[in-house]
Amino acid sequence: MNRKPFIAGNWKMHKTIAEAVSLVNAILLNLPDPQEIEVAVAPPFTALAAVAEAIKDTPLKLSAQNLFWKKEGAYTGEISPLMLKDVGCEYVIIGHSERRQYFGETDEMINKKVKAALAFGLKPILCVGERLEEREEGKTFEVVKRQLLGGLAELTPEEVLKTTIAYEPVWAIGTGKTASPTQAQEVHAFLRNLLTKNWSKEIAQKVRILYGGSIKPENIKVLMQEEDVDGGLVGGASLKAESFVRICNFKGD
Ligand code: PGA
């Protein structure tokens, strides 16, 4: 198994353009070896162009946090995959629990977004994860299965290979409560097994499955020791260069 670890910073609705540029400039000073670890940042839409310019010719990758599935048209307020490609994005986060919870995104909509991203050459980071009550009711596997297979429905093997999965238990997001490495591993292994069953073992072994939910410099290392944890989607701790670069450099920290 040689999946390159991948750390992505999800800035959510934070940072003006000037703040965004100063944050990436600070991150660039301490990036890990790109041969060893891949790193991306996902600024808000308004800062994408400025961040794209600041990271030009560096190994730091650009991600968006969302997109709409149409190429263009009368969809006031939406951003298309073509526009994200045009601004320099390589990745796009899709189906984050905040989008599901506050903006009514369903697995069907998420699947359209995943397909649209792929059609325009963007790599989707598909988020799945159970809410606290679902975990307590013993429904974790059922929920993440529905989200994974719903989000990836009708994808070809080549398309699945371009996708990254992020397991983000909703009860661990922004709460300071991290899933234990064992809890994360259990779900990651389950997700990988679903990829094996629905596509192939070879594909399942290649797709990266990130963990997300209160990742900090203090807990990244133990999470990364788990066999099926291939990286992290980092929210709060990605807003400061100091904590984010410590997470990215977890191997040497
Ligand atoms: P957090 O957010 O690290 O602040 O918990 C993670 C996420 O929502 O991607």
Side-chain angles (χ1 to χ4, degrees):
M1 176 209 75
N2 52 358
R3 297 182 293 270
K4 189 193 276 194
F6 181 28
I7 307 284
N10 173 12
W11 296 2
K12 308 192 179 181
M13 197 172 72
H14 293 281
K15 306 293 177 188
T16 60
I17 294 172
E19 288 166 348
V21 170
S22 105
L23 176 54
V24 281
N25 283 335
I27 293 169
L28 287 171
L29 296 175
N30 282 298
L31 269 189
D33 179 354
Q35 304 299 326
E36 297 262 325
I37 298 174
E38 185 174 356
V39 181
V41 289
F45 288 131
T46 47
L48 285 173
V51 170
E53 180 62 28
I55 66 177
K56 203 161 76 188
D57 304 322
T58 79
L60 189 55
K61 309 277 183 72
L62 191 62
S63 174
Q65 300 175 17
N66 182 29
L67 84 174
F68 187 55
W69 56 80
K70 296 280 189 178
K71 179 180 167 197
E72 59 184 14
Y75 302 100
T76 302
E78 293 299 321
I79 305 282
S80 82
L82 178 69
M83 293 165 182
L84 295 183
K85 196 69 192 159
D86 181 49
V87 79
C89 288
E90 178 170 337
Y91 288 97
V92 54
I93 298 169
I94 298 179
H96 189 279
S97 64
E98 287 149 18
R99 302 283 331 157
R100 295 177 190 260
Q101 187 178 348
Y102 305 131
F103 303 98
E105 290 196 11
T106 62
D107 290 320
E108 201 183 0
M109 291 159 74
I110 290 163
N111 181 236
K112 286 186 181 173
K113 292 184 177 202
V114 168
K115 287 177 178 163
L118 288 161
F120 284 86
L122 293 159
K123 299 176 186 162
I125 302 175
L126 171 69
C127 302
V128 301
E130 80 287 1
R131 289 182 281 114
L132 181 61
E133 59 272 29
E134 292 167 333
R135 173 161 282 263
E136 285 171 347
E137 287 165 16
K139 293 187 179 153
T140 299
F141 294 128
E142 181 189 321
V143 169
V144 297
K145 179 177 179 182
R146 190 187 66 229
Q147 293 173 335
L148 184 89
L149 298 183
L152 301 182
E154 296 161 9
L155 259 57
T156 64
E158 295 71 38
E159 289 175 325
V160 177
L161 278 175
K162 291 182 185 133
T163 306
T164 298
I165 309 299
Y167 168 57
E168 300 206 302
V170 180
W171 49 270
I173 296 179
T175 57
K177 278 188 219 153
T178 322
S180 69
T182 312
Q183 283 173 321
Q185 169 58 26
E186 187 178 55
V187 178
H188 284 228
F190 174 78
L191 293 169
R192 201 175 303 285
N193 194 31
L194 279 176
L195 293 174
T196 302
K197 278 195 202 144
N198 288 275
W199 282 274
S200 73
K201 174 138 195 173
E202 198 202 339
I203 287 171
Q205 286 305 315
K206 286 187 178 156
V207 171
R208 288 181 296 194
I209 307 179
L210 315 182
Y211 167 79
S214 298
I215 291 183
K216 302 184 251 317
E218 293 74 27
N219 58 28
I220 183 71
K221 211 168 179 155
V222 283
L223 286 160
M224 290 302 295
Q225 276 162 6
E226 296 295 333
E227 185 177 339
D228 290 295
V229 177
D230 305 317
L233 185 54
V234 187
S238 74
L239 297 174
K240 289 209 170 86
E242 192 266 338
S243 45
F244 189 62
V245 298
R246 277 180 65 201
I247 292 168
C248 296
N249 289 285
F250 69 92
K251 282 194 175 169
D253 205 37

